[in-house]
């Protein structure tokens, strides 16, 4: 079974802090993704990566950056957290190829106070 | 128009009922299709892929209509445990990068 592990289930941070969300997958997947999910807005793609050190902007990259130094790890960074970044953050991974589904981690519920 | 559209519901059905969800997509070049299930405050989990010829997994049947650009999910003999949000997912990119998630259809199965 694919295992995608996110470092924290719940996280509370303060406005202006730099926040790191970590994601690790154990299936040697090439692709990794970061989403946020908010009520009524569904899943929105923040960034994705198709290889080590490669990254592409998704639909809502503003205020975020990512890092992929190793194939199995994809980090999401909130450079200066703001209250509108309070959300559920979901990491996913998949094999390369148009027919491959994404597999999700448990999610991190982040609150910015 | 959204790239992937679903009826948000909620669908309220009794145990044992058959319920069907539809999902329409706008990109005719879309390559692959999936249904995910998401429980409240949990992550989406892959329920099943959708193949051109249609496919079945136990009580669940998925179908694809490329000409009309929609996919469907049929749940037979609904169980209380089927209560969840069902997400329609469409891949359009060759590398699997262009994945669009529908907003989901909420299902409540009641005793």
């Amino acid at each position: 079974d694919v295992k995608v592990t996110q470092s924290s289930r719940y996280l509370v941070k303060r406005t202006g802090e730099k926040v790191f969300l970590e994601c690790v997958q154990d299936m040697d997947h090439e692709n990794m993704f970061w989403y946020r999910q908010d009520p009524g807005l569904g899943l929105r793609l923040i960034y994705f990566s198709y290889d080590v050190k490669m990254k592409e902007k998704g639909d809502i990259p503003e205020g975020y950056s990512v890092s992929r130094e190793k194939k199995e790890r994809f980090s999401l960074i909130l450079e200066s957290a703001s209250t509108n970044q309070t959300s559920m953050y979901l990491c996913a991974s998949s094999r390369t190829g148009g027919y491959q589904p994404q597999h999700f981690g448990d999610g991190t519920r982040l609150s910015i106070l | 128009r959204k790239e992937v559209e679903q009826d948000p519901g909620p669908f309220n059905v009794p145990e044992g009922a058959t319920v069907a969800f539809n999902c329409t997509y706008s990109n005719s070049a879309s390559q692959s299709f999936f249904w995910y299930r998401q429980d409240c405050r949990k992550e989406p989990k892959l329920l099943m892929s959708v193949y051109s010829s249609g496919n079945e997994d136990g009580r669940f049947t998925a179908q694809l209509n490329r000409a009309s650009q929609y996919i469907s999910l049929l749940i037979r003999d609904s169980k209380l445990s089927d209560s969840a949000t069902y997400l329609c997912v469409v891949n359009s990119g060759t590398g699997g990068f262009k994945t669009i998630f529908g907003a989901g259809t909420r299902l409540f199965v009641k005793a």
Side-chain angles (χ1 to χ4, degrees):
Chain A
D1 264 1
V2 176
K3 184 67 175 173
V4 180
T5 303
Q6 295 184 228
S7 52
S8 307
R9 288 300 305 274
Y10 300 94
L11 205 54
V12 180
K13 295 292 182 181
R14 296 206 173 275
T15 303
E17 280 192 71
K18 191 168 186 175
V19 181
F20 294 85
L21 302 183
E22 306 286 346
C23 175
V24 177
Q25 50 94 4
D26 67 357
M27 287 302 292
D28 202 36
H29 285 173
E30 294 83 8
N31 303 331
M32 295 189 75
F33 307 83
W34 275 106
Y35 295 90
R36 64 178 283 178
Q37 188 173 32
D38 302 286
L41 296 177
L43 278 159
R44 293 183 291 168
L45 181 64
I46 304 171
Y47 268 96
F48 69 94
S49 169
Y50 54 88
D51 202 352
V52 176
K53 297 193 185 296
M54 306 302 289
K55 60 185 179 184
E56 295 286 341
K57 291 180 180 179
D59 300 317
I60 51 163
E62 296 78 20
Y64 303 94
S65 63
V66 290
S67 172
R68 193 161 180 205
E69 296 297 317
K70 293 184 178 181
K71 190 175 186 180
E72 67 271 17
R73 185 181 297 271
F74 192 34
S75 303
L76 179 70
I77 303 149
L78 285 65
E79 297 292 343
S80 177
S82 62
T83 54
N84 63 12
Q85 292 179 308
T86 291
S87 186
M88 168 75 123
Y89 288 87
L90 288 156
C91 174
S93 72
S94 73
R95 293 202 182 283
T96 290
Y99 299 94
Q100 301 299 324
Q102 294 182 22
H103 301 270
F104 286 85
D106 290 348
T108 296
R109 197 162 288 278
L110 175 64
S111 295
I112 307 296
L113 304 180
Chain B
R1 184 187 170 190
K2 290 182 182 177
E3 291 183 77
V4 175
E5 291 201 72
Q6 296 183 249
D7 181 343
F11 284 62
N12 294 289
V13 302
E15 268 188 298
T18 295
V19 62
F21 308 134
N22 282 338
C23 166
T24 58
Y25 60 94
S26 60
N27 185 349
S28 59
S30 297
Q31 293 188 309
S32 57
F33 310 87
F34 308 93
W35 283 102
Y36 281 70
R37 170 202 169 115
Q38 186 172 24
D39 293 292
C40 189
R41 302 177 75 83
K42 296 285 186 73
E43 78 277 19
K45 291 185 178 177
L46 179 66
L47 180 64
M48 59 198 302
S49 302
V50 185
Y51 302 122
S52 297
S53 54
N55 49 298
E56 193 173 299
D57 183 2
R59 297 181 294 108
F60 299 84
T61 300
Q63 295 205 310
L64 167 64
N65 185 319
R66 283 192 184 273
S68 301
Q69 294 181 202
Y70 77 83
I71 67 172
S72 64
L73 177 68
L74 183 78
I75 306 175
R76 290 182 300 277
D77 189 23
S78 300
K79 312 290 185 192
L80 295 176
S81 57
D82 293 334
S83 297
T85 297
Y86 291 84
L87 305 175
C88 165
V89 181
V90 176
N91 269 357
S92 299
T94 53
F97 308 142
K98 183 68 172 171
T99 300
I100 306 296
F101 288 80
T105 297
R106 191 77 175 93
L107 172 66
F108 291 99
V109 181
K110 51 190 188 302

